[in-house]
């Protein structure tokens, strides 16, 4: 296994990619017929998690909507004396 070296000289192993799949995705949709089914199910779950799930900590709206609202309110202001 290759090792990487931090700037302080300490040797560390590279991060191992996560292979864990969310149980709330896997259990209700058994049986899976192959890797393509699992990949499609994962993409559908991520879409739901970001675009449709209501998040109570941000006012019962989906995270994507919260992000859109936030960035709409925090647009960079042009510098004084600069014409666009």
């Amino acid at each position: 296994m290759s090792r990487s070296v931090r700037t302080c000289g300490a040797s560390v192993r590279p991060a191992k990619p996560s292979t864990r799949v969310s149980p709330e995705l896997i259990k209700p949709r058994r049986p899976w017929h192959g890797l393509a089914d699992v990949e499609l199910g994962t993409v559908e779950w991520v879409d739901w998690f970001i675009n449709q799930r209501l998040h109570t900590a941000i006012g019962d709206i989906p995270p994507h909507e919260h992000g859109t609202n936030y960035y709409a309110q925090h647009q960079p202001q042009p510098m004084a004396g600069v014409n666009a």
Side-chain angles (χ1 to χ4, degrees):
M1 174 180 283
S2 66
R3 292 186 173 268
S4 60
V5 178
R6 294 184 184 186
T7 55
C8 67
S11 178
V12 295
R13 291 185 180 195
K16 182 180 178 182
S18 175
T19 56
R20 189 171 167 214
V21 178
S22 179
E24 59 264 27
L25 170 65
I26 293 294
K27 287 183 180 178
R29 296 187 55 185
R30 283 184 269 179
W32 296 98
H33 297 291
L35 182 59
D37 287 345
V38 174
E39 289 174 342
L40 179 60
T42 302
V43 169
E44 289 171 347
W45 183 85
V46 169
D47 177 65
W48 168 82
F49 192 82
I50 295 172
N51 296 310
Q52 300 169 21
R53 167 184 66 106
L54 301 181
H55 197 296
T56 57
I58 56 176
D60 291 321
I61 61 173
H64 176 73
E65 184 178 334
H66 175 72
T68 300
N69 295 342
Y70 175 85
Y71 287 110
Q73 295 173 7
H74 295 87
Q75 292 296 317
Q77 300 299 316
M79 295 174 50
V82 176
N83 294 330

